[in-house]
């Protein structure tokens, strides 16, 4: 399962709950290994976010209720996606 919809909205919601700055200091390989070892947690987190269907207030509310490990992983995925997008736009 993947995040669907507006990644900027998800980023803004993650920023609102304070998840962006701390995740930049984490060991991403460790968090990724942990989440890959628990695919159901990851799937549930993606379903929760996708289920908000662009409603930022609902998304912020759901992020506050989520397990911090899931929020960290979501923040990493969004950051990765933005980095990949930036790399693609700079090549053209």
């Amino acid at each position: 399962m993947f995040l669907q919809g507006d990644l900027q909205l998800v980023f803004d919601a993650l920023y609102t709950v304070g998840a962006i700055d701390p995740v930049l200091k984490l060991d991403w390989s460790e968090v990724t290994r942990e989440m890959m070892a628990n695919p159901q947690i990851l799937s549930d987190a993606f379903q929760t976010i996708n289920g908000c269907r662009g409603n930022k207030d609902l998304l912020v509310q759901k992020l506050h209720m989520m397990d911090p490990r899931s929020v960290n992983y979501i923040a990493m995925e969004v950051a990765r996606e933005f980095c990949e997008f930036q790399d693609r736009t700079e090549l053209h």
Side-chain angles (χ1 to χ4, degrees):
M1 174 164 280
F2 299 98
L3 289 175
Q4 300 171 344
D6 184 356
L7 281 181
Q8 183 65 52
L9 181 111
V10 177
F11 178 88
D12 292 346
L14 288 162
Y15 186 81
T16 298
V17 301
I20 297 299
D21 289 334
V23 84
L24 297 176
K25 298 171 187 163
L26 294 177
D27 178 351
W28 287 22
S29 60
E30 181 182 323
V31 176
T32 300
R33 269 193 309 276
E34 184 178 334
M35 292 310 289
M36 292 299 115
N38 299 291
Q40 189 57 47
I41 293 171
L42 184 58
S43 178
D44 291 346
F46 283 171
Q47 278 187 312
T48 298
I49 289 173
N50 293 339
C52 292
R53 301 198 186 279
N55 181 331
K56 183 182 174 193
D57 293 332
L58 180 59
L59 183 52
V60 167
Q61 179 184 17
K62 296 290 186 178
L63 287 170
H64 277 297
M65 296 175 1
M66 256 187 218
D67 171 40
R69 294 175 304 159
S70 298
V71 174
N72 286 343
Y73 189 77
I74 298 297
M76 283 176 21
E77 282 301 304
V78 170
R80 271 191 198 126
E81 195 64 36
F82 276 132
C83 287
E84 289 174 8
F85 176 77
Q86 188 64 31
D87 285 347
R88 285 191 305 261
T89 58
E90 288 181 3
L91 292 175
H92 295 284

